[in-house]
């Protein structure tokens, strides 16, 4: 970011220091020409008019550009920080989910009796239990280290 600003300042400074005269002349057919070298004695020197139109010596525009660069850099820092915060919270949530899945897998391996929230036995076939084990194993393989 600082490199861009430096290049911009150098280009701006070099364009201010460039001095070239600009001439306007009309040929015998009435065609208007512009050149940096006087082709004839009757060529009109319009350098001062061109300089007035193309030269801005104020620092206001440079300050505006620098302010925009600063705002852009700050926005990028905030985006990176936000992405890091999201990554950290996602990693924490993923770790908690993995721990829960591993604990559940350990509890339903082998002979097990399933109880509901009231403590009553829930009848579950061996195929259903094996399907739960397969689902948890797949989840752990895909989401946990």
């Amino acid at each position: 970011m600082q490199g861009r600003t430096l290049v911009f300042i150098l280009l701006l400074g070099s364009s201010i220091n460039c001095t070239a005269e600009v001439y306007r002349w009309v040929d015998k057919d009435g065609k208007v020409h512009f050149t940096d070298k006087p082709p004839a004695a009757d060529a009109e020197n319009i350098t001062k008019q061109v300089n007035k139109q193309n030269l801005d010596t104020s620092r206001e525009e440079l300050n505006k550009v620098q302010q925009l660069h600063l705002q852009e850099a700050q926005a990028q820092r905030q985006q990176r920080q936000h992405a890091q915060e999201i990554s950290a919270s996602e990693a924490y949530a993923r770790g908690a989910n993995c721990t829960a899945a591993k604990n559940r897998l350990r509890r339903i391996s082998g002979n097990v009796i399933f109880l509901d929230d009231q403590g009553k036995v829930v009848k579950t076939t061996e195929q259903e239990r094996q399907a739960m084990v397969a689902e948890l194993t797949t989840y752990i393989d895909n989401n946990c280290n």
Side-chain angles (χ1 to χ4, degrees):
M1 193 57 67
Q2 292 174 347
R4 279 196 236 165
T5 304
L6 181 61
V7 169
F8 177 75
I9 291 170
L10 290 174
L11 288 175
L12 183 64
S14 67
S15 67
I16 291 172
N17 292 330
C18 293
T19 56
E21 294 185 344
V22 180
Y23 297 91
R24 178 183 174 270
W25 58 279
V26 181
D27 65 9
K28 62 183 177 186
D29 298 324
K31 195 172 187 182
V32 179
H33 297 272
F34 295 92
T35 182
D36 61 345
K37 297 177 183 151
D42 61 339
E44 178 186 3
N45 187 344
I46 62 169
T47 303
K48 291 181 181 177
Q49 295 168 348
V50 173
N51 281 346
K52 289 179 187 174
Q53 295 173 0
N54 294 328
L55 184 62
D56 179 16
T57 58
S58 70
R59 300 239 350 126
E60 185 177 330
E61 290 299 316
L62 181 58
N63 289 339
K64 286 180 185 177
V65 170
Q66 289 174 338
Q67 187 64 29
L68 288 173
H69 284 297
L70 290 173
Q71 289 172 353
E72 181 180 310
Q74 184 179 12
Q76 288 176 349
R77 280 192 301 273
Q78 288 174 345
Q79 287 175 347
R80 282 193 300 269
Q81 183 180 7
H82 183 66
Q84 289 172 348
E85 289 170 358
I86 289 174
S87 295
S89 65
E90 286 176 350
Y92 178 77
R94 190 176 315 121
N97 290 342
C98 286
T99 301
K102 289 175 182 177
N103 289 338
R104 176 137 174 87
L105 179 62
R106 190 174 58 252
R107 285 193 312 265
I108 66 170
S109 296
N111 293 331
V112 64
I113 297 174
F114 291 97
L115 303 174
D116 63 11
D117 293 336
Q118 288 80 28
K120 296 182 181 178
V121 175
V122 177
K123 297 200 181 221
T124 306
T125 66
E126 180 59 21
Q127 290 176 334
E128 291 172 333
R129 188 194 65 79
Q130 288 176 358
M132 287 183 224
V133 168
E135 183 180 340
L136 286 168
T137 303
T138 302
Y139 177 84
I140 292 168
D141 290 343
N142 292 336
N143 298 296
C144 306
N145 294 336

